[in-house]
Amino acid sequence: MNQVTLYVPGICCMNMNHSIEQEIKALKGIISYKGTLPKGKIVIEYTHTLVNSKEITHIIEERGFSIVKKVQREKIVDIYN
């Protein structure tokens, strides 16, 4: 599982955030989406074998928003038998 944190200025209302959330969640492999207003901070967890951060950022940029900062990391999950 991977996580990407995006900082997107201009997402200033719940309607915009909800609209982007619906489009992102429609992608296969999206685990969770959390948008914080008014900062425009979006945290998305996803399965990297089904979707990648380029696809996610493309949706946001297609709506006319610029991503000013992108922080990506891979979560390591330990499984014990």
Side-chain angles (χ1 to χ4, degrees), residues 5-27:
T5 302
L6 306 170
Y7 293 89
V8 187
I11 298 177
C12 57
C13 72
M14 291 303 292
N15 287 338
M16 282 183 202
N17 185 53
H18 183 71
S19 176
I20 291 170
E21 178 181 7
Q22 293 306 309
E23 285 189 56
I24 299 288
K25 283 185 169 181
L27 295 171

Side-chain angles (χ1 to χ4, degrees), residues 47-64:
T47 303
H48 69 279
T49 56
L50 298 174
V51 67
N52 62 49
S53 62
K54 282 186 177 185
E55 292 173 277
I56 294 168
T57 56
H58 179 72
I59 287 175
I60 295 168
E61 291 171 340
E62 281 290 305
R63 296 194 53 99

